[in-house]
Amino acid sequence: QLVESGGGLVQAGGSLILSCVASGETLNANVMGWFRQAPGKEREFVAAINWNSRPYYADSVKGRFTISRDAAKITVFLQMSSLKPEDTAVYYCAADRSSSHSAQLKYNYWGQGTQVTVSS
């Protein structure tokens, strides 16, 4: 019900755009977000966007990543620029019916993930 795409291999300093398409129950989600998990590390928050398009970002990606969603609120995008090798991870799309993102929010819906690899 959440399908990510857009991952791949990119050189440091390059850009990628990830997409996540919602369907079924996830169409009712108010908040959508991106998380990532690098090998041997815990999953971490990257960015989220509320129903009113208010964005949230992890400090590590502020100024480099931009989250957005289309007017129909079906697709959420993560535009990543100035990529660093430490951005290498599997990126997961998540969604929830809560009205807004918070650090304590446990997202109900998750995608399968898309690999992003940044070479130095």
Side-chain angles (χ1 to χ4, degrees):
Q1 294 179 340
L2 291 173
V3 178
E4 305 100 331
S5 62
L9 174 64
V10 64
Q11 289 188 335
S15 300
L16 278 176
I17 300 176
L18 304 184
S19 300
C20 172
V21 178
S23 63
E25 291 183 359
T26 59
L27 290 172
N28 295 320
N30 291 314
V31 59
M32 296 183 75
W34 289 96
F35 292 75
R36 67 186 181 187
Q37 187 167 19
K41 295 187 177 181
E42 293 187 353
R43 187 170 59 194
E44 64 176 2
F45 169 73
V46 176
I49 188 165
N50 284 353
W51 66 272
N52 60 358
S53 297
R54 176 185 175 181
Y56 300 82
Y57 297 100
D59 288 343
S60 59
V61 306
K62 279 181 182 177
R64 301 189 299 121
F65 291 11
T66 301
I67 189 169
S68 61
R69 64 197 301 181
D70 64 350
K73 295 181 171 55
I74 293 176
T75 305
V76 63
F77 304 95
L78 185 67
Q79 184 171 355
M80 307 185 293
S81 59
S82 302
L83 283 162
K84 306 174 182 180
E86 50 264 42
D87 294 318
T88 295
V90 177
Y91 283 70
Y92 296 92
C93 178
D96 197 89
R97 295 186 182 183
S98 296
S99 60
S100 64
H101 169 76
S102 71
Q104 292 74 36
L105 178 62
K106 297 185 184 300
Y107 285 73
N108 272 331
Y109 305 100
W110 292 87
Q112 293 300 307
T114 185
Q115 177 70 46
V116 172
T117 302
V118 184
S119 63
S120 57

